[in-house]
Amino acid sequence: MKKVELLAPAGDLEKLKIAIMYGADAVYLAGEAFGMRTASKNFDEKQLKEGVEFAHKRNKKVYITLNIIPHNDDLDGLEEYVQYLVDIDVDAVIVSDPGIYSIVRSVSEDLEVHLSTQASVTNYKTVKFWEKMGIKRIVLARELSLDEIKRIKEEVPNMDLEVFVHGAMCISYSGRCLLSNYMTGRDANRGDCAQACRWKYHLVEEKRPGEYYPIEETDKGTFIYNSKDLCMIDSLDDLISSGVDSLKIEGRVKTQYYVATVIRSYRIAIDAYYNGNYTKELADYLLNEIKKSSHRDFTKGFFYNKPTAEDQLYTSSSYTRNYDFVGIVLDYDEETKIATIEQRNRIFKGDKLEVFGPEKDFYNFEIGTMINDEGKEVDVVPRAREIFKTKINFPVKPWYMLRKKL
């Protein structure tokens, strides 16, 4: 049986490495232009090459986003950029615009091309059209049900289908939004979304300027465009049986800790599904693990029913955060049981922490003696990315992460 792919976001080189170490089969990312997330750090040419080499050494894949909806000037330099992507052997590019697709094909007939969710594909006839054009994979619009996905797979069995299964939901149709551009001049369709859908809104009557009426009866205003986050960790059996080939996690501007936590959970769930061990108890455990990263309330999106008011957040756009990411393991000496850790948030002597890696279980321990990079014993490690050593009485490995309950 062909195993479904787990596709992870990579907003920078460190996130790429963490996503792969925590179980992603492939990552998607952008260079310094042509991608839909200018808010993430993204990759220069040297980092792109390093990222591809890191992934390929571990038999993982790298997909590059070229999925803006471009104006004329946005096309400048695209041919040279695509040629560079071919030269460093990326596995595929993701496009939404026929003009960009034509440029990619003028550079390479062999480079694999995926069609972005920005193209709003919602039916099998459109999938057949793009199949004839040479597209290898369709990233389906978010507005499809599982039954509609099944029908598409039945009608076009040789086309790879990719769906978003976790992360922020765009209030506009498949991400094609003009709200940010209208409000701030930042074009969401060219990668510079200001997330105006997450702002607080009141109602103003035309002849009563300055008089603001809450749309709901609350003095906090109303977040009328604000969706809950998508989460399908407890519905993977339905997703996989629908015929999809790739499960995509949203979050190129999220933290390394978020990437590790979410990818780890979906990796464990996918492997359990194919091993016959995917149970409600496991899904509930993994959902709780996901909730240890910053998150909003969750929704199933369009997979089962069209969203209702229950899938929106009308009172706040803030995240729920119950844990702090406080450190990442750089090295561990099994003989002395001394771990070398890079701090990510303040750590105090006596802190009770959890440590986890790509595996299912996590471990609890209490911080004892800490030795800073000057060889001095300290009671707190306050500086960002400060290196220190401490004893951990069970084996840990590089890339393991430390978190603290708030």
Side-chain angles (χ1 to χ4, degrees), residues 5 7 26 28 61-64 66-67 91-97 101 105 111-117 119 134-139 159-160 162 246 248:
E5 176 187 82
L7 178 56
Y28 65 100
K61 294 183 177 182
V62 177
Y63 309 144
I64 307 297
L66 307 176
N67 59 338
D91 296 281
V93 295
I94 306 169
V95 309
S96 62
D97 178 73
Y101 179 60
R105 278 289 168 254
L111 179 59
E112 186 171 306
V113 181
H114 301 171
L115 193 70
S116 171
T117 192
I135 293 289
K136 168 65 175 173
R137 176 184 293 186
I138 302 290
V139 188
M159 177 65 81
D160 278 3
E162 178 180 307
S246 180
K248 188 171 194 171

Side-chain angles (χ1 to χ4, degrees), residues 338-371:
I338 298 297
T340 304
I341 296 168
E342 183 179 271
Q343 180 260 40
R344 293 305 175 89
N345 272 297
R346 285 192 304 171
I347 301 176
F348 294 86
K349 185 175 181 179
D351 274 347
K352 293 178 173 59
L353 304 182
E354 294 178 3
V355 58
F356 70 95
E359 302 83 9
K360 174 175 177 279
D361 296 322
F362 65 87
Y363 304 93
N364 296 285
F365 76 106
E366 183 175 317
I367 287 283
T369 301
M370 296 187 291
I371 306 297

Side-chain angles (χ1 to χ4, degrees), residues 237-292:
D237 45 356
D238 291 342
L239 268 172
I240 295 172
S241 64
S242 73
V244 298
D245 301 277
S246 180
L247 305 180
K248 188 171 194 171
I249 310 297
E250 183 274 338
R252 275 188 282 157
V253 298
K254 300 289 180 66
T255 66
Q256 299 94 333
Y257 172 65
Y258 174 91
V259 171
T261 303
V262 174
I263 295 303
R264 164 182 177 259
S265 296
Y266 277 88
R267 175 78 276 152
I268 293 167
I270 291 168
D271 291 347
Y273 173 85
Y274 287 101
N275 292 332
N277 299 318
Y278 180 71
T279 62
K280 184 180 185 305
E281 290 73 22
L282 176 64
D284 288 345
Y285 169 79
L286 295 174
L287 178 60
N288 189 58
E289 285 294 288
I290 285 173
K291 288 179 178 179
K292 292 180 180 179

